[in-house]
Every structure is written in structure tokens, then in C-alpha cells.
Amino acid sequence: METFFNINYEFDRAAVHDAIHSRLKLPGSDYICVADGVILNIANRTPRYMEVIRGGMFAICDSSYVPLYIKWIHGKNFGQYSGSEIFEDIIRSRKYRMIFLGTQQNVLDGLKNRLMEWNTEVEYMSFHELPFCNVDEFDYEAIARMIQADHADIVWVALGAPKQEYFMHRLKPHLSHGVMIAVGAAFKFFSGVEAKRAPQWMVDSHLEFIYRLTQEPKKQFKRCYHIVKTLPSLLYGEWRTTQRTVR
């Protein structure tokens, strides 16, 4: 695990899965953030949100650009590990009992049907739609009781950033077991009901943001605006850390 842009990243995929396996052997719960460019941007503009992002086990890098920035500034080579990828990897591993929280019921139904193609045990796992409310209004004790009654190891959360990260942070003290992972739009990507992920060639070419803009122009344009606006100062701040280290 290394810290870049004030976020604790784990880039090694094997280390991510080893950490999950090890954490599940211990009492209590924890969470992993899937940090894309939006989360990176919001966290560096919002101290409270940064505390939430840094309050979990670590973040994985769901951005094709952050590894490029790190290479430019630090000369280190890392790769992206998206929410969709870790989601599929864990489902296909057949290692854990899981529970799926968030989004609309029709998306959850479509998601369950798709995931059963990867892992037949998903048929006996729980998919729960969460109420549409402010992050302060969830009944965290009741949600924790539901999860614990289910004996889930992995708790998948899809509420969209930054809500889902605040949700995990608030739920953590109420759980006696489990690792929560917030995967944002992955539920929709795999449900066959709503948005799909960009074609692989666009992902490989760092053009996924263009695809997302065409799918949700109003929402994504606002996000892109803030990223572009704050990126120069973010890059400069990270470059300054290397200068202090050299000195």
C-alpha cells in the first residue's frame, strides 16, 4: 500500500484479495473504497470525505488516469483495478457469502440473474433495495442486524459516490463481521437493465469518461468540470511532495 494524492492505494491485486481474506478472520468489520477520479477530486476538496476514504482498509484505483499521473510524477508503474473488475473477480471466486445493497429492485433482479451465470451460489444470496434518503437517515442498526443475520462475508454497496463511502463509514461500527466494498455503477453495468460500461478499447485508451458523458451528460459533465478545474493544483501538490522527499 502506498499513498498518492493523500489517498492510501493498494495497487497489487493479489494483495487486495489477501487483505480481504485476512480481515475476515478477525472480529469486527471494515471497508474498501473504489477510488475513481471523482472520489479523488471530492476527497481532496472535502476534509471530512477524505477522513472517510482514509478510514477504511485502503482504496483500489478505479481510474486509468491516476496511474499515469503517478508515473509522470514519481516514475512508478501501477495499473487500474476498477470496481467492475473486483466485483467480478470476487463473485467468480466462489469463496464468500455475499449480500448486495442499494439501487432499484429491477436492477437488483437483473443483477442476480446475471451473477448466477458466474456463481450458482448467488441464487441463495440476498439482494436488498435501500431506501432513497440522506446518508444520515439510514437505520444503521437495523441494516447491520439484517447483514449479520445473513452471515455475509462481503457486503456490496451501490449508492453512488460520495454517499456510498459515507454509508460504509457509518455502518462499520455496527457490524461484527464482514468487508464492505462500494462499487458504484457496477450493479447497473452487470444488470442488463441500465447503463453499460464503456467498450474495452475505450477503457484501454483512457477514453471511458467520454462514453460516460454520452450516457449521463448532465451528471458527468458536472463531475468532469470539477476534476479539470482542480487537477492542476492536485498535480502540483503531489509534485511538491516529491521535492520535499528529495530534500
Side-chain angles (χ1 to χ4, degrees):
M1 182 168 65
E2 297 190 54
T3 301
F4 301 104
F5 302 103
N6 303 308
I7 292 178
N8 300 323
Y9 286 106
E10 180 55 77
F11 289 95
D12 187 303
R13 297 189 182 204
V16 169
H17 292 277
D18 287 346
I20 292 171
H21 182 72
S22 297
R23 185 63 185 84
L24 289 171
K25 295 179 180 180
L26 302 175
S29 71
D30 216 325
Y31 60 89
I32 294 172
C33 297
V34 179
D36 61 3
V38 173
I39 289 177
L40 173 68
N41 177 267
I42 298 174
N44 279 282
R45 291 189 289 112
T46 313
R48 176 57 184 150
Y49 189 51
M50 180 62 82
E51 290 179 13
V52 169
I53 299 300
R54 292 174 62 95
M57 295 168 61
F58 47 75
I60 63 171
C61 184
D62 186 5
S63 169
S64 64
Y65 282 96
V66 169
L68 290 179
Y69 303 152
I70 293 172
K71 185 174 182 179
W72 295 342
I73 296 171
H74 298 280
K76 297 183 177 182
N77 291 304
F78 296 110
Q80 176 185 13
Y81 194 18
S82 71
S84 297
E85 289 173 321
I86 191 174
F87 186 63
E88 183 172 352
D89 287 345
I90 291 179
I91 301 295
R92 289 185 181 276
S93 75
R94 300 172 179 251
K95 291 182 178 179
Y96 307 111
R97 178 163 181 81
M98 296 167 281
I99 190 168
F100 304 78
L101 306 179
T103 193
Q104 297 81 28
Q105 193 60 50
N106 66 321
V107 174
L108 293 172
D109 292 342
L111 179 66
K112 183 173 184 177
N113 290 333
R114 175 65 185 280
L115 299 187
M116 285 169 56
E117 298 174 7
W118 300 347
N119 180 346
T120 55
E121 295 174 10
V122 168
E123 180 180 2
Y124 308 104
M125 297 181 190
S126 300
F127 292 70
H128 293 278
E129 179 179 6
L130 293 175
F132 183 76
C133 63
N134 186 280
V135 73
D136 296 322
E137 298 171 343
F138 287 108
D139 187 340
Y140 290 99
E141 291 186 0
I143 294 171
R145 287 195 298 270
M146 175 184 69
I147 294 170
Q148 289 171 177
D150 189 84
H151 303 290
D153 298 309
I154 304 295
V155 181
W156 296 108
V157 181
L159 293 171
K163 187 176 183 179
Q164 60 194 12
E165 288 76 33
Y166 283 118
F167 175 88
M168 294 191 298
H169 185 76
R170 294 283 295 272
L171 184 58
K172 176 181 174 178
H174 300 284
L175 290 176
S176 60
H177 177 72
V179 172
M180 297 173 279
I181 309 175
V183 288
F187 281 21
K188 294 181 179 181
F189 289 158
F190 293 120
S191 70
V193 176
E194 294 194 26
K196 297 181 180 180
R197 195 179 184 199
Q200 191 60 46
W201 70 266
M202 296 190 79
V203 176
D204 294 340
S205 302
H206 311 288
L207 298 174
E208 186 173 9
F209 75 96
I210 294 178
Y211 182 85
R212 299 289 290 275
L213 276 170
T214 65
Q215 299 298 303
E216 301 174 296
K218 185 175 181 180
K219 175 182 177 181
Q220 298 300 331
F221 181 81
K222 183 178 180 180
R223 287 180 166 184
C224 287
Y225 170 76
H226 283 296
I227 290 173
V228 172
K229 180 181 178 181
T230 58
L231 184 59
S233 61
L234 195 62
L235 293 175
Y236 177 73
E238 186 68 15
W239 176 79
R240 288 284 296 170
T241 66
T242 66
Q243 303 306 300
R244 288 194 291 269
T245 301
V246 170
R247 292 173 187 174

